Amino acid sequence: MLSCIVLGLASRLPGAVASSGKYPGDVLWAAMVFFGWGLLLPLRPLRQRLVLALASAWGIEVLKLWQTPWLVELRHSILGHLVFGQVFSWQNLVAYALGILLAVGVMRALEWHSAHHQRLTIRGSHHD
């Protein structure tokens, strides 16, 4: 999760945005949301964390359509801008889905590697 935050912030630096656009940061932000749900609810099934992350990311994006003074003011702060963004974009919904699916892929790969490593360790510990 920390690497998603660091890479996401780095992707928003002026030179990075000019060369790759803003979508890598959106993908990483959504992956961070997924990993955040994993920290909060580690025992929940992967599919449930995926749905929570997608609902959270898309919900925050749709919230951009609501322009009340206090929310606009919040979005002008650094943290508010990083969490809530500024302007609604359909493309962000796609970037968020992609980021969450990539994070799910990473989790599955890590789980497979852990299970595979455990099997090898258990097999290697038996003495014939």
Side-chain angles (χ1 to χ4, degrees), residues 44-125:
R44 298 288 181 159
L46 194 63
R47 181 173 292 179
Q48 190 173 25
R49 289 179 276 155
L50 180 151
V51 169
L52 286 168
L54 198 56
S56 299
W58 284 4
I60 288 172
E61 186 65 23
V62 170
L63 189 63
K64 292 176 187 176
L65 296 170
W66 190 29
Q67 298 293 322
T68 63
W70 68 269
L71 197 48
V72 170
E73 186 176 331
L74 177 64
R75 289 180 184 129
H76 286 294
S77 70
I78 292 172
L79 185 58
H81 180 73
L82 290 172
V83 173
F84 297 109
Q86 296 281 331
V87 179
F88 176 83
S89 168
W90 289 105
Q91 292 90 344
N92 286 353
L93 299 175
V94 175
Y96 298 156
L98 179 61
I100 291 165
L101 290 175
L102 288 172
V104 167
V106 167
M107 285 302 299
R108 286 190 170 196
L110 290 172
E111 288 171 355
W112 179 87
H113 182 269
S114 177
H116 182 71
H117 181 66
Q118 256 182 346
R119 283 194 302 269
L120 291 176
T121 303
I122 292 170
R123 285 185 195 154
S125 66

